[in-house]
Amino acid sequence: SGGDLKHARDLAQSAVDLMPRSKKPRVILARIYIGAGMQKSALSELREAAKLDPSDQIVKTLLRDLE
């Protein structure tokens, strides 16, 4: 539901805030944004994740699918 998605987003955003140099919370947040139809926000998080780990295939695939 929308409330669950918002709660998940808030938790993922908190994880990004706590661990800004960690790729995993950004990918999780991006997937939540994708699920909510927020492609622009998802792209932003995925681009940051790609900077942190340019070789990550999952990030590359998600970026390619959104761009």
Side-chain angles (χ1 to χ4, degrees):
S1 76
D4 291 339
L5 200 57
K6 182 183 181 316
H7 184 65
R9 186 203 63 213
D10 291 347
L11 291 174
Q13 183 62 61
S14 293
V16 168
D17 293 343
L18 289 169
M19 302 177 288
R21 292 189 197 101
S22 179
K23 170 191 66 177
K24 191 171 187 174
R26 291 187 181 278
V27 174
I28 292 168
L29 184 55
R31 287 177 183 255
I32 292 167
Y33 283 143
I34 291 167
M38 299 170 67
Q39 266 63 16
K40 190 173 182 180
S41 296
L43 278 170
S44 177
E45 291 303 329
L46 289 169
R47 287 179 181 137
E48 288 300 315
K51 289 178 191 174
L52 295 168
D53 185 358
S55 66
D56 187 290
Q57 290 301 315
I58 292 171
V59 172
K60 286 180 181 181
T61 300
L62 288 169
L63 274 170
R64 186 178 60 240
D65 290 348
L66 288 176
E67 290 180 326

